[in-house]
Amino acid sequence: MTAVELGLPVVRGTPDASTRPNTPGLVDRFGRVATDLRVSLTDRCNLRCTYCMPAEGLDWLPQPEVLSDDELARLLAIAVTRLGVTDVRFTGGEPLLRRGLEDVISATAALRPRPKISMTTNGLSLARRADSLVAAGLNRVNVSLDTLDRARFHELTRRDRLHDVFEGMAAARAAGLDPVKVNSVLLRGVNEDEAVPLLRFAVENGYQLRFIEQMPLDPQHGWDRTSMVTAAEILDSLATGFTLTPEPAARGGAPAERWLVDGGPAVVGVIASVTRPFCAACDRTRLTADGQLRNCLFSQSETDLRAPLRSGASDDEIADMWRATMWAKAAGHGINDAGFHQPDRPMSAIGG
Ligand code: SAM
């Protein structure tokens, strides 16, 4: 097994850009090609999930630091038309809080070759917006939901809004977003008993559920490997209610390992970022709401694209900065490495 497969960081620091092959795409030193762009549209959120944000929120990015719609559209155009990005996912923070979201989506949908456009959201207000988002060009949605219990949802998110999430998911499905994916994080002593009910709910409603292992990206830096609910535990729990068989289709760059539920056609995914890292297949590049480029969720450095954008850099120059950033991508996220340091930015400010 190689270091890349193990998710080890191997070489950090600035690699020699002169060894990079002269190719337009976002290649790195380990043979990976990034084609999937995660764009955070805001670091703000209207939930306060205990593992993601403190009750009082965080120090939000000052508005002048956030990319304008025009700046964002320019970076998206560079990514798609020059750098080979084929998939764009909008996230945050909560992307539905971004004013003009539909305009950002339609500008993205107008690019050629037209990228696939998806969004990760908490689902609040999706019931009102699903039709206009689809009309703008949204292709797919992932809705985050960690519990089916109203009181528990209130406690976990510090908001009594479970009903809005249910309505949002149903509206997404009715608007033709298919499949509606549901993302769940199980936390020990909080909702670890809900693996089976969550999957039952997803199967009954035609949603596609994926469990995500909790990663060290909390603002409190309180993540603890020993209290994380692992993929193996999740699968053991699911086996008490369902028969799971590995899905025959190739996994490709997808983070989720997938299983057929009771013979199919329903499937369930488990994203085991910590215990079964999939860095070797990573095809992601990430842009924060304030225009910082990251080559990994866990990278310690960022490339500022906002300053050059605002000081007259050409599209060619920005594309070259993007290529150099991805060339420097480490082999793995390094979570399981003795010297691992959690990045300063929490998940909500990077874009989950
Ligand atoms: N607000 C949107 C939402 O709720 O989906 C998008 C941003 S949110 C940060 C994206 C996803 O990251 C959510 O599914 C959330 O549960 C997950 N998340 C947050 N912190 C996490 C962590 N430390 N480890 C794993 N997933 C996390």
Side-chain angles (χ1 to χ4, degrees), residues 67-101:
L67 294 179
S68 68
D69 289 357
D70 287 346
E71 289 169 335
L72 194 55
R74 186 168 161 213
L75 290 180
L76 284 161
I78 292 170
V80 171
T81 63
R82 290 169 183 258
L83 299 172
V85 163
T86 56
D87 293 74
V88 176
R89 173 172 294 277
F90 294 112
T91 180
E94 175 46 48
L96 289 170
L97 295 182
R98 169 97 184 199
R99 269 197 212 104
L101 171 62

Side-chain angles (χ1 to χ4, degrees), residues 51-52 91-94 120-122 144 183 185 213-215 347 352:
Y51 59 94
C52 194
T91 180
E94 175 46 48
T120 302
T121 173
N122 62 28
S144 301
N183 290 350
V185 177
E213 278 182 346
Q214 190 190 7
M215 294 177 277
M347 180 75 127

Side-chain angles (χ1 to χ4, degrees), residues 13-332:
T14 315
D16 182 0
S18 68
T19 57
R20 186 188 177 281
N22 186 18
T23 172
L26 295 172
V27 297
D28 70 28
R29 293 162 296 153
F30 303 96
R32 297 167 296 191
V33 185
T35 54
D36 183 343
L37 170 60
R38 306 280 155 130
V39 183
S40 174
L41 293 177
T42 175
D43 59 335
R44 295 173 190 242
C45 193
N46 42 6
L47 293 181
R48 293 287 181 274
C49 300
T50 49
Y51 59 94
C52 194
M53 257 187 212
E56 65 280 11
L58 294 163
D59 290 334
W60 309 126
L61 290 169
Q63 201 52 36
E65 290 182 16
V66 175
L67 294 179
S68 68
D69 289 357
D70 287 346
E71 289 169 335
L72 194 55
R74 186 168 161 213
L75 290 180
L76 284 161
I78 292 170
V80 171
T81 63
R82 290 169 183 258
L83 299 172
V85 163
T86 56
D87 293 74
V88 176
R89 173 172 294 277
F90 294 112
T91 180
E94 175 46 48
L96 289 170
L97 295 182
R98 169 97 184 199
R99 269 197 212 104
L101 171 62
E102 282 80 353
D103 296 335
V104 172
I105 291 176
S106 52
T108 311
L111 295 170
R112 292 294 174 271
R114 196 234 197 247
K116 290 191 228 63
I117 306 172
S118 56
M119 178 174 71
T120 302
T121 173
N122 62 28
L124 307 187
S125 86
L126 192 54
R128 266 192 296 114
R129 308 268 297 275
D131 286 331
S132 61
L133 292 165
V134 170
L138 184 69
N139 300 118
R140 287 228 318 260
V141 75
N142 287 32
V143 181
S144 301
L145 176 69
D146 300 331
T147 177
L148 300 170
D149 180 82
R150 180 176 168 185
R152 198 179 263 184
F153 183 94
H154 192 172
E155 211 172 308
L156 185 59
T157 67
R158 304 189 177 101
R159 302 287 186 270
D160 186 11
R161 306 283 304 268
L162 178 60
H163 189 66
D164 296 296
V165 183
F166 288 152
E167 284 195 336
M169 290 170 159
R173 189 184 48 201
L177 294 171
D178 185 34
V180 172
K181 291 191 181 173
V182 178
N183 290 350
S184 300
V185 177
L186 294 183
L187 307 161
R188 195 165 316 282
V190 177
N191 62 345
E192 64 185 309
D193 55 342
E194 288 200 62
V196 167
L198 280 163
L199 182 53
R200 190 159 293 130
F201 164 81
V203 170
E204 283 171 5
N205 288 281
Y207 304 140
Q208 207 177 96
L209 180 65
R210 298 127 45 95
F211 291 99
I212 305 175
E213 278 182 346
Q214 190 190 7
M215 294 177 277
L217 287 170
D218 55 310
Q220 301 88 350
H221 290 225
W223 179 86
D224 173 10
R225 172 183 307 275
T226 57
S227 67
M228 178 190 69
V229 179
T230 63
E233 289 174 287
I234 294 166
L235 290 168
D236 282 350
S237 274
L238 291 176
T240 65
F242 305 92
T243 303
L244 302 184
T245 43
E247 197 193 30
R251 180 174 171 188
E257 290 179 73
R258 306 205 317 172
W259 283 264
L260 295 175
V261 180
D262 291 337
V267 292
V268 62
V270 179
I271 303 181
S273 318
V274 180
T275 61
R276 300 179 198 172
F278 39 87
C279 302
C282 181
D283 60 359
R284 309 275 140 78
T285 178
R286 296 175 180 273
L287 182 67
T288 65
D290 56 339
Q292 309 300 304
L293 194 61
R294 301 178 66 88
N295 57 25
C296 173
L297 259 180
F298 295 94
S299 66
Q300 292 292 343
S301 61
E302 300 179 335
T303 302
D304 181 13
L305 293 186
R306 188 187 67 222
L309 200 62
R310 291 183 181 177
S311 58
S314 68
D315 286 2
D316 278 343
E317 287 166 330
I318 289 173
D320 278 342
M321 287 177 219
W322 207 317
R323 290 185 189 108
T325 303
M326 296 312 294
W327 182 243
K329 181 173 174 131

